Amino acid sequence: MRPPLNKDTRLCISLAGRPSNIGTRFHNYLYDQLGLDFVYKAFTTTDIAAAIGGVRALGIRGCSVSMPFKEDVIPLVDTVEPSARAIHSVNTIVNDDGHLTASNTDYIAVQRLIDEHGLDPGDAVLIRGSGGMASAVGAAFRDHGFHSGVVVARNPEAGGALADRLGYDYAVDVGDRTAPIIVNVTPIGMAGGPEEREAAFDEATIAKAHTVFDVVALPSETPLITAAWAAGVDVITGAEVIALQAAEQFERYTGVRPTAAQVSAASAVSRA
């Protein structure tokens, strides 16, 4: 168990337009399990510059950053690591005695999963989505040597711009396109959303892939993941991404790397 709250307890926070309990549960569960004198709290703000100034001035150890602040914080920090610079997007800030270092652990987590699942850079990747997370996923693949890909997005401006940055092709819809690796980075299949019962790719596209990657984390088994399992196709889930990126944050904040079993348990608690 962690020590009782005291004057030396270190604070980590999150800043989001719409705060959730996921990070709060994940980090506080691990502080308890590892006996660390930390506490984690979610916040929102209407003044991101003042909020980051508070992180610096109050000695807040770590700050998770979510939409819509991921780009806005860049000029407010001292050092931007390559993971954030590659996609011009921050999700993690670490405070070392007033020096703020920004990184993007979504990008780092995707690259780790590419390695863990043994994906071949010679394979083409088909990415559906064009938002901030799609940028992180696409850049992680490109920077890991995947130079053949297609970005599919209904918004031609955002989709075309992302495809250009990645050096991939652009398409407005999936159509009859297939690829060995297909990735959903849209809200399709997300619990509580208007398309929660839908899969981002049809059965024919899934059947021709060898890996299906769905970045949606809630539920952990989306309709796309269910369809991939039914087709006997390997999967990477959004639950894996969110757990790995949070573990990366946790280590940066505390200096302690939780075990895979601890991360899995914390992830289950966070999504309960």
Side-chain angles (χ1 to χ4, degrees):
M1 295 292 292
R2 62 177 148 182
L5 290 175
N6 62 86
K7 67 179 180 62
D8 295 318
T9 299
R10 307 207 70 181
L11 174 63
C12 294
I13 70 170
S14 64
L15 292 171
R18 298 173 60 188
S20 78
N21 286 319
I22 292 176
T24 302
R25 291 171 177 166
F26 182 96
H27 288 270
N28 284 312
Y29 172 85
L30 287 175
Y31 299 154
D32 280 337
Q33 293 297 305
L34 295 168
L36 299 176
D37 194 9
F38 280 77
V39 66
Y40 190 103
K41 176 72 173 68
F43 292 92
T44 189
T45 182
T46 56
D47 190 338
I48 188 62
I52 298 303
V55 170
R56 191 192 303 272
L58 296 174
I60 294 170
R61 170 58 179 165
C63 177
S64 172
V65 182
S66 297
M67 294 299 292
F69 307 123
K70 291 187 172 188
E71 294 184 9
D72 295 342
V73 300
I74 291 175
L76 306 175
V77 302
D78 303 302
T79 300
V80 180
E81 292 187 354
S83 60
R85 194 162 56 246
I87 55 177
H88 200 66
S89 177
V90 168
N91 79 337
T92 303
I93 297 172
V94 176
N95 182 1
D96 292 301
D97 298 322
H99 184 97
L100 304 186
T101 300
S103 59
N104 193 299
T105 61
D106 289 328
Y107 173 97
I108 294 167
V110 172
Q111 289 206 327
R112 284 183 179 266
L113 288 167
I114 289 169
D115 287 336
E116 289 180 9
H117 288 265
L119 302 188
D120 182 358
D123 285 337
V125 58
L126 178 61
I127 299 172
R128 184 168 184 179
S130 61
M133 188 62 183
S135 178
V137 170
F141 272 95
R142 177 203 61 197
D143 295 346
H144 229 51
F146 290 77
H147 299 306
S148 177
V150 178
V151 173
V152 175
R154 286 176 288 191
N155 183 329
E157 184 175 345
L162 176 57
D164 286 345
R165 289 199 303 274
L166 298 176
Y168 290 172
D169 295 327
Y170 166 72
V172 71
D173 55 43
V174 176
D176 60 358
R177 292 173 179 79
T178 61
I181 304 166
I182 59 175
V183 189
N184 174 45
V185 205
T186 75
I188 297 172
M190 182 180 293
E195 301 168 292
E196 66 177 333
R197 299 184 184 277
E198 299 180 24
F201 298 96
D202 62 25
E203 292 182 0
T205 305
I206 294 167
K208 292 179 180 177
H210 68 57
T211 301
V212 169
F213 185 177
D214 195 346
V215 176
V216 172
L218 289 171
S220 55
E221 185 179 334
T222 62
L224 177 58
I225 294 298
T226 300
W229 277 333
V233 176
D234 289 340
V235 303
I236 303 173
T237 70
E240 290 180 80
V241 177
I242 200 167
L244 259 185
Q245 73 83 19
E248 290 288 335
Q249 287 184 329
F250 187 90
E251 183 177 13
R252 286 164 184 257
Y253 298 160
T254 67
V256 177
R257 182 75 183 191
T259 67
Q262 288 167 337
V263 170
S264 179
S267 180
V269 168
S270 74
R271 292 181 282 106

